Every structure is written in C-alpha cells, then in structure tokens.
C-alpha cells in the first residue's frame, strides 16, 4: 500500500511517499517538495511526475491514499476522510489559523480534482486532545464566545502522539504503545487491571513549540490554546500574551488591528525578543557573542518551557519521562540542560555527557539514578499521518 503525505504551506508543497508492507513494515520510498508554489494543481502534477520517474507510482492507481496534517477545523477533529465537510471546517476557522487552513483547503480540493478515486484523509493537529478534561480546555470567556469556538484546542498532535507511542516503547510499556496506536480507532481503551500508570511530558521545541502532558499515552493538557501562536514564544509568533496588550498598543501606538495581528505573527517570538532572527541557531550565536537581547530571548524561551513542564508535573502528580523532540529539542543540548536545571529535588537529573553528545538522534540523556527519565525522540509527524491515513482507509 502506497500512502502519500502532503504537507501544504502557504507557498510550499512537500511530500513523502511511504510503502506499507506486511507485518507493519514501512519504507520511505520518496520525499521532495517545491517552494514558491502558486498553483497547487501544478505542484501535484509535478509530484506525480517525480514519483513516476522514480519508478514508485506509475499512475494514481498505485496510490492508495493521501494524508494531510490539517491544523484546525470548526466542529471537526480526529482522523477523517478529507471531503467537503473537512474543507468547510477548515474554512470555518481560517481566521484563527490563517497561515495553515486556506492552503490545506485549497490543496485538498486540487487533490480531489487531480486524483479522483484516491482516498484522501485529514488528520487534524487537534485530534490528540479530544480527551483532555473539559476544565483544561476552557477559557473564562462569556458563554457566547465559547459557543463561537473560543476554547483551548492544542496543536502538534501528530508529533506528541508519536512521542506518546515511542516513549511507551522505550519504557517497556507495549500496552500503552498499543493503546496510543489505536487511539483514533478505539478511543482511550481502559488499561488492564493493576497496570501501572505512565506519566510523560513531551516537549516539541522547534520553529513552533508546544509542551503536552500525557497520562497513559493520552493528552491531559497542552501549552497551545485557541491558535498555534499561543503558549511558548514561537519563532516569530508571540506565544502567550495578556489580552489587554492588544487594545493597549492599538490605542497608545496607534496601530490598526491588522497591523497588530501582523506584528504578533511575523515580528514577535524569538525574533521580536532578540531582534536578531527567528532561527534559534542565529539567536544562540548572537548570545554567545554577548548580545544581551539574544540571551534574554533564550532565557524567556527556557523559562516558558519550564513553566509548562511544571504545570504538567503537578497535574500528573509526577513524571516518569520527559521527552525532547523537533528541531530545537533534538539539536540543542545547552537548552535541554537549561530547561532541566535544578530539578534534582524533583527526581530529574541529566547525564551531562550523554546530553551534550546527543544531537538529532534518539537516546536517553538522564543520569543513572534519575527517577524521571529523559529522552530525545526525533519528530516523525509524516509517519504518523501515513499510518493514520492507512488505518482510516482500511477501516472502511
Ligand atoms: P518547524 O516547526 O519549522 O518544523 P523544526 O522542528 O525544523 O521547525 O525546528 C526549527 C528550529 O530548530 C530552528 O529554530 C532551528 O534553529 C532549530 N534547529 C534545527 N536544526 C538544528 C541544529 N542542527 N542545531 C541547532 N538548532 C537546530
């Protein structure tokens, strides 16, 4: 079975083709992508031509499904067929996810036209949070706002789900790994009587960052709320901000709402704090050369990560494993060390040598006696989308 995963950005189209064999074997057959895309129909044609040339897919008949990592749908989540209902749901929340929803809605429509008969599947980034307790999803807003959709949704669901599954495997909990694998088909099935609980905090730190607490493989809460620009400071997006700041700067700096929105989504986060750039490598290099704003940006990022880890540590009543994933989490031992500093009394201690040696690969970085084990697990969101796509089309 060949499953194509399409990653649609506002001006980019990236793809990965997976082949699923017997007994769960999966191979990445091809990957590629295009920048500065203005016509998704053309990009799809180019992608299929590349796959044909590579000898992987002769025609759309050799393609058994296409998966999309859609972000936020109005009144819709989970892993579902990417049909008119999905397009309407994306459209219904395009104001909240303006960089993500319109390209996915358009891209899915082009795939429908170009590949009639090939099943299309949407895995929403919010899907992993379907079982978060209601109290952790609510803002204290008037009921009408809540009914209009103003609540905490949570994002990076594919990434945190992968961490839930993989960390359970690394901790020898095949029961929980299986529970997570089947989550979107079976819901949160009860654990066997007497099974020990498993508490994991997953830190997806990248261009966009979020931290999720998970009990027995299922999210109990996350740092991102209504939109993917909340929670930790993002690369150039603001993260958490007191709502009073928006009317204040509109009145005192004379900014229009559109300009405030632009600055919050393009000129804030690590870029806004540091004045250097939105890539952590540049911020860190500047900090090492003595740039105080760059150092402050790193400190704010670390402080915010610790704030959310602390929140879930308390909510979970402890933590069996802390996991770092994504570009920053996988490649920056110094940041991991800063985030884990002074937690010995809470039972978490890094092995400094293991931590500094590990970049871009899976491994354990906690000290031998650490009650909370600490892992790096490289992000693998496309694989999650491919697997869920296959499960969704096979279930019918
Ligand atoms: P996205 O959210 O765009 O998928 P990534 O997960 O690729 O982002 O993370 C991008 C961030 O990770 C950037 O801030 C970058 O500085 C950091 N990063 C990526 N690779 C490295 C590396 N080899 N060393 C240090 N930082 C890295």
């Amino acid at each position: 079975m060949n499953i194509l995963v399409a990653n649609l950005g506002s001006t980019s189209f990236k793809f990965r083709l997976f082949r699923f064999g017997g007994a769960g074997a999966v191979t990445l057959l091809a990957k590629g992508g295009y920048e500065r895309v203005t016509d998704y129909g053309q990009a799809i044609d180019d992608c299929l031509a590349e796959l044909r040339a590579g000898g992987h897919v002769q025609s759309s008949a050799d393609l058994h499904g296409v998966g999309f990592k859609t972000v936020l749908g109005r009144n819709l989540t989970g892993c579902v067929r990417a049909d008119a209902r999905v397009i309407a749901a994306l459209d219904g929340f395009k104001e909240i996810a303006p960089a993500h929803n319109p390209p996915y809605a358009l891209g899915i429509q082009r795939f429908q036209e170009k590949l009639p008969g090939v099943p299309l599947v949407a895995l929403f980034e919010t899907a992993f949070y379907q079982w978060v307790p209601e109290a952790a999803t609510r803002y204290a807003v008037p009921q009408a706002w809540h009914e209009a959709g103003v609540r905490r949704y949570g994002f990076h669901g594919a990434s945190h789900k992968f961490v839930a599954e993989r960390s359970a495997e690394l901790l020898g909990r095949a029961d929980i790994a299986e529970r997570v694998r089947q989550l979107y088909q079976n819901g949160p099935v009860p654990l066997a009587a007497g099974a020990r609980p498993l508490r994991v905090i997953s830190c997806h730190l990248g261009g966009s960052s979020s931290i999720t607490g998970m009990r027995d493989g299922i999210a109990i809460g996350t740092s991102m709320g209504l939109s993917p620009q909340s929670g930790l400071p993002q690369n150039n997006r603001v993260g958490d901000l007191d709502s009073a700041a928006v009317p204040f700067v509109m009145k005192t700096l004379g900014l229009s709402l559109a300009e405030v929105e632009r600055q919050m989504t393009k000129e804030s986060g690590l870029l806004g704090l540091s004045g250097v750039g939105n890539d952590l490598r540049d911020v860190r290099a500047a900090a090492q050369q003595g740039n105080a704003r760059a150092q402050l940006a790193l400190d704010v990022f670390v402080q915010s990560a610790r704030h959310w880890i602390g929140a879930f540590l308390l909510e979970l009543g402890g933590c069996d494993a802390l996991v770092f994933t994504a570009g920053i989490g996988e490649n920056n031992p110094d940041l991991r060390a800063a985030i884990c500093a002074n937690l010995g009394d809470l039972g978490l201690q890094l092995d400094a040598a293991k931590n500094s040696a590990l970049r871009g690969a899976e491994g354990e970085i906690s000290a031998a006696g650490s009650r909370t084990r600490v892992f790096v697990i490289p992000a693998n969101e496309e694989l999650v989308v491919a697997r869920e796509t296959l499960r969704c089309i096979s279930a019918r």
Side-chain angles (χ1 to χ4, degrees):
M1 298 281 267
N2 294 328
I3 304 288
L4 182 70
V5 175
N7 187 339
L8 303 170
S10 47
T11 59
S12 68
F13 171 91
K14 295 183 201 143
F15 63 87
R16 288 191 190 194
L17 180 69
F18 294 91
R19 176 164 297 164
F20 288 83
V26 51
T27 323
L28 176 64
L29 289 185
K31 66 178 194 173
Y34 318 103
E35 302 290 341
R36 300 199 185 89
V37 171
T38 51
D39 177 351
Y40 287 114
Q42 185 61 48
I44 295 164
D45 285 344
D46 293 346
C47 164
L48 291 176
E50 247 185 74
L51 296 178
R52 256 195 309 274
H56 304 302
V57 166
Q58 290 318 315
S59 72
S60 64
D62 297 328
L63 211 50
H64 302 101
V66 182
F68 301 89
K69 189 161 62 78
T70 46
V71 174
L72 176 66
R74 189 186 183 98
N75 297 326
L76 187 62
T77 190
C79 185
V80 296
R81 287 293 180 117
D83 53 13
R85 189 171 61 128
V86 164
I87 290 167
L90 292 171
D91 201 47
F93 270 168
K94 62 174 187 282
E95 309 291 343
I96 301 175
H100 298 100
N101 279 11
Y104 269 105
L106 191 64
I108 290 169
Q109 279 165 325
R110 290 292 171 272
F111 268 95
Q112 288 170 339
E113 291 158 14
K114 291 276 176 187
L115 303 177
V118 177
L120 309 182
V121 172
L123 172 61
F124 282 95
E125 285 285 67
T126 51
F128 193 51
Y129 304 102
Q130 293 172 76
W131 300 279
V132 167
E134 191 183 2
T137 69
R138 292 293 290 256
Y139 290 117
V141 292
Q143 185 65 13
W145 292 32
H146 175 69
E147 285 165 12
V150 178
R151 46 156 287 193
R152 304 181 67 89
Y153 292 97
F155 299 91
H156 288 142
S159 175
H160 290 297
K161 183 173 188 284
F162 183 74
V163 166
E165 186 179 327
R166 185 68 193 134
S167 61
E169 285 170 357
L170 292 171
L171 292 160
R173 294 300 301 269
D175 56 334
I176 288 174
E178 185 58 19
R179 184 183 204 228
V180 176
R181 261 194 289 282
Q182 301 296 336
L183 188 59
Y184 299 153
Q185 274 63 49
N186 301 341
V189 294
L191 294 186
R196 273 177 301 115
L198 184 67
R199 304 155 302 180
V200 175
I201 299 176
S202 170
C203 307
H204 177 111
L205 308 179
S208 149
S209 300
S210 69
I211 295 184
T212 294
M214 310 183 294
R215 182 180 283 118
D216 305 330
I218 294 171
I220 59 140
T222 188
S223 59
M224 278 179 170
L226 173 69
S227 80
Q229 67 167 320
S230 49
L232 277 70
Q234 313 294 345
N235 52 3
N236 59 359
R237 290 169 288 131
V238 68
D240 280 346
L241 176 72
D242 189 318
S243 59
V246 173
F248 176 75
V249 294
M250 288 176 72
K251 287 173 197 155
T252 58
L253 301 182
L255 303 179
S256 67
L257 181 57
E259 179 58 13
V260 173
E261 285 179 312
R262 193 191 67 76
Q263 293 188 13
M264 288 195 306
T265 55
K266 300 268 193 291
E267 295 181 355
S268 298
L270 291 176
L271 171 65
L273 280 163
S274 70
V276 168
N278 64 10
D279 190 300
L280 190 100
R281 282 168 285 205
D282 301 332
V283 179
R284 206 182 45 186
Q288 280 164 354
Q289 285 163 11
N291 182 319
R293 274 182 65 190
Q295 184 58 51
L296 181 65
L298 299 179
D299 294 346
V300 172
F301 185 82
V302 167
Q303 175 100 12
S304 178
R306 286 169 66 91
H307 169 91
W308 285 101
I309 291 168
F312 296 125
L313 192 63
L314 200 72
E315 198 54 34
L316 291 166
C319 179
D320 300 298
L322 179 73
V323 179
F324 290 98
T325 189
I328 295 176
E330 292 164 29
N331 295 297
N332 293 275
D334 49 348
L335 261 138
R336 295 193 299 245
I339 290 170
C340 294
N342 301 325
L343 299 181
D345 281 357
L346 294 175
L348 188 156
Q349 205 148 24
L350 284 192
D351 179 315
K354 281 187 192 163
N355 179 44
S356 44
L358 191 64
R359 286 163 206 254
E362 183 178 283
E364 181 165 1
I365 55 173
S366 39
S370 182
R371 213 164 49 238
T372 296
R373 296 175 67 186
V374 187
F375 296 96
V376 174
I377 297 179
N380 211 338
E381 294 161 270
E382 285 82 4
L383 179 63
V384 172
V385 178
R387 279 185 191 156
E388 296 302 330
T389 299
L390 180 63
R391 254 189 283 274
C392 181
I393 59 183
S394 309
R396 296 183 183 234

